Amino acid sequence: MSLRIEFRKSGKTVQWEERFESLLELARENGIEIETECEQGICGACRTKLLSGEVEMEIEDGLDDEARDKNMILMCVAIPKTDIVLEA
């Protein structure tokens, strides 16, 4: 599944590959710095705004209702389901 992932602030667009475990891993491999702490979806440090598209997250403990309403995702546990555009 080759999906297009755009990192708006970083000005990079890359292809998703199944070998990645999360969007955080993809970002790191492409030189995009994302703040992290627990890397398990609990702390919320890696929250990033999803501008368009859909992702899947098994764990969302690091997001409160306000963050969900603002379309924030957790990069450390997010997997794209469609082409996406991220604020990062």
Side-chain angles (χ1 to χ4, degrees), residues 4 11 16 30 35 42-43 56 58 63 65 67 79 87:
R4 183 177 162 269
W16 173 260
N30 287 280
E35 184 178 332
I42 298 169
C43 73
E56 181 178 319
E58 287 186 23
L63 296 174
D65 289 339
I79 303 291
E87 189 174 64

Side-chain angles (χ1 to χ4, degrees), residues 16 20-25 34 36 38-44 46-47 55-63 72-80:
W16 173 260
F20 295 114
E21 293 186 21
S22 68
L23 286 168
L24 177 62
E25 190 176 311
I34 305 291
T36 64
C38 76
E39 298 189 20
Q40 297 176 11
I42 298 169
C43 73
C46 65
R47 276 189 288 195
V55 300
E56 181 178 319
M57 294 182 289
E58 287 186 23
I59 300 169
E60 295 185 27
D61 294 351
L63 296 174
M72 302 297 278
I73 64 165
L74 299 168
M75 294 287 285
C76 67
V77 294
I79 303 291

Side-chain angles (χ1 to χ4, degrees), residues 5-14 23-28 30-36 45-52 70-76 78 84-88:
I5 313 301
E6 179 183 338
F7 294 89
R8 181 75 43 96
K9 282 184 184 174
S10 302
K12 293 187 180 186
T13 299
V14 297
L23 286 168
L24 177 62
E25 190 176 311
L26 173 72
R28 283 182 174 155
N30 287 280
I32 300 163
E33 293 198 28
I34 305 291
E35 184 178 332
T36 64
C46 65
R47 276 189 288 195
T48 302
K49 187 167 190 162
L50 178 66
L51 300 174
S52 69
K70 292 180 179 178
N71 220 23
M72 302 297 278
I73 64 165
L74 299 168
M75 294 287 285
C76 67
I84 62 172
V85 179
L86 299 164
E87 189 174 64

